[in-house]
Amino acid sequence: MRQRIVLIGESPLVLFLAEALDKSVANLVQTDVVWLTTEAAIICLSHQQSMSAHQKIINKKSHLNHVRLINNRVNSINLVERRLITDRGTLTYDYLFIDQASSYRPGELKTITDQLKKLTAAIKAAVNTGDKPAAEIFCKGQSAESYQLALNIRAELVHEQVARQVSVMCEGDRPDDLKKFLTAAGLKVGRRRLEKPGLTIQAPAILDLRKIRGLKIDAQYQAMTGSTAQVLGHPEVMILNSRPRFRQNLLRFQKTLGQRLAKSLINIVESREPLTVELEQSALLLTHGEESFVWLGKLMSRRTRGRIIRQLDRRLHSKLR
């Protein structure tokens, strides 16, 4: 009987996982690997620099020959019946992988860019008439994506020469070294509401785990999983929780983890022992102009080591495009 593996998520990690499955089991007659996605491309904000810069897109399909990409949004999941409810109907699975990393999709970034252009034009028009306009942009969420988006918006405002009139804020109760980097880049950190006219940008949407029937979640709304990322009571399901994934955007880390998860998933399919995975390690890269901030394990660096890690990540990013 043909077995179906379903992947859910929009991050580079899922692409690396899909690539590994594509080269191993996806071409087998008895295996059907499906990636449910809402976009055909991935944009890594840490290598984008500003909002108006040419979008450096990673095309998912160009990396896959046998994995089926299906453009579909998941609304709910029934673990007991191994069934997914999507915008286009029902899909059953034998094995399921879910990545809860938050990722802005290309379509979402275009909408944000259009809003930013309108705000910038309005500020410039007000300045030209002698007014002293002031506005704020608030990027919600405490993830690598939200922080990097705020940094890219700040760079765009500087480029458009309206940075004095428009302030950019992001949420923050993270380590002091990270706060120092964000504030040095011109961001305001820690405020949670707008006090002036402007924009509030929501954090990227992730799958609501409360809509997964049969899933046990803890007090922080995270899936209860073991060291292999398998869901308690449902070993055929693997979930990477959002809290650690919020600080894991470094491409090289995502590639290593994605490939190991692919091996573990294949082991599960073949009734062999799954592999343990490092689920809690920090692997964060933020960039602003020529400045970089790296949080790798317990190490936080803004200087030489940070620049080297950024260069290595940039090379990997170039190979993906």
Side-chain angles (χ1 to χ4, degrees):
M1 181 180 293
R2 200 174 194 203
Q3 295 184 313
R4 177 177 292 151
I5 301 171
V6 175
L7 313 177
I8 300 174
E10 301 293 338
S11 72
L13 183 147
V14 186
L15 175 61
F16 291 125
L17 170 64
E19 267 191 317
L21 294 177
D22 194 74
K23 296 173 182 177
S24 54
V25 297
N27 61 334
L28 301 178
V29 175
Q30 67 269 27
T31 309
D32 178 29
V33 183
V34 176
W35 184 358
L36 292 180
T37 178
T38 57
E39 293 276 359
I42 296 172
I43 295 179
C44 297
L45 286 178
S46 56
H47 298 289
Q48 193 64 28
Q49 294 301 302
S50 73
M51 301 302 292
S52 62
H54 175 70
Q55 288 191 339
K56 300 174 181 178
I57 289 175
I58 300 171
N59 187 291
K60 297 174 181 175
K61 187 62 179 176
S62 66
H63 292 267
L64 306 170
N65 295 311
H66 307 289
V67 173
R68 291 196 294 140
L69 277 175
I70 298 180
N71 191 345
N72 212 341
R73 189 181 303 276
V74 178
N75 297 320
S76 64
I77 302 173
N78 189 320
L79 299 187
V80 178
E81 299 178 3
R82 300 190 183 186
R83 180 164 49 89
L84 303 130
I85 306 300
T86 73
D87 287 345
R88 298 183 181 180
T90 302
L91 182 69
T92 59
Y93 67 86
D94 296 288
Y95 302 93
L96 178 64
F97 175 86
I98 301 173
D99 182 19
Q100 285 290 85
S102 62
S103 301
Y104 285 107
R105 298 161 177 81
E108 293 172 325
L109 291 173
K110 184 181 183 305
T111 299
I112 294 169
T113 301
D114 290 343
Q115 292 174 330
L116 186 60
K117 287 179 179 178
K118 290 180 181 179
L119 177 62
T120 300
I123 292 293
K124 287 182 176 180
V127 170
N128 291 336
T129 60
D131 290 342
K132 295 182 179 180
E136 294 179 329
I137 298 174
F138 180 30
C139 297
K140 298 188 70 174
Q142 297 184 51
S143 69
E145 284 283 284
S146 297
Y147 292 143
Q148 189 61 61
L149 179 66
L151 290 165
N152 290 2
I153 288 174
R154 174 67 183 176
E156 185 69 18
L157 296 175
V158 171
H159 176 73
E160 294 293 333
Q161 299 181 337
V162 294
R164 290 185 179 181
Q165 292 83 13
V166 185
S167 57
V168 184
M169 299 178 291
C170 58
E171 295 183 83
D173 58 4
R174 298 297 186 182
D176 288 341
D177 286 356
L178 174 55
K179 288 184 181 179
K180 288 177 182 178
F181 175 78
L182 296 173
T183 54
L187 302 184
K188 294 183 178 180
V189 182
R191 296 169 59 189
R192 297 178 180 270
R193 64 186 180 85
L194 289 177
E195 296 178 353
K196 300 174 184 176
L199 300 174
T200 296
I201 300 173
Q202 300 297 324
I206 58 176
L207 184 65
D208 187 350
L209 295 183
R210 293 172 295 181
K211 293 184 178 181
I212 302 181
R213 184 179 177 186
L215 178 66
K216 296 179 181 179
I217 57 178
D218 61 22
Q220 297 177 321
Y221 297 101
Q222 304 291 289
M224 297 179 70
T225 62
S227 60
T228 60
Q230 290 172 284
V231 170
L232 298 184
H234 294 277
E236 74 283 355
V237 180
M238 302 173 75
I239 296 181
L240 299 187
N241 279 310
S242 60
R243 286 182 68 85
R245 289 293 286 130
F246 279 0
R247 59 181 189 274
Q248 294 174 340
N249 70 327
L250 196 66
L251 283 177
R252 195 161 296 276
F253 172 85
Q254 294 190 81
K255 181 178 181 179
T256 301
L257 181 56
Q259 291 175 341
R260 185 170 179 82
L261 286 164
K263 291 179 181 178
S264 185
L265 187 53
I266 292 170
N267 282 359
I268 295 170
V269 172
E270 297 177 349
S271 300
R272 292 187 282 121
E273 195 70 21
L275 304 177
T276 58
V277 289
E278 179 53 69
L279 300 174
E280 296 294 330
Q281 180 178 335
S282 298
L284 173 69
L285 169 67
L286 297 177
T287 62
H288 182 67
E290 295 303 315
E291 296 294 320
S292 306
F293 176 84
V294 171
W295 181 5
L296 188 57
K298 296 181 179 180
L299 168 73
M300 296 186 190
S301 176
R302 293 177 54 181
R303 294 182 172 82
T304 304
R305 191 177 304 217
R307 288 193 294 270
I308 292 173
I309 292 174
R310 176 183 180 175
Q311 290 171 359
L312 292 172
D313 215 55
R314 183 183 291 167
R315 289 177 190 173
L316 179 54
H317 180 258
S318 297
K319 291 179 181 178
L320 291 172
R321 294 170 53 215

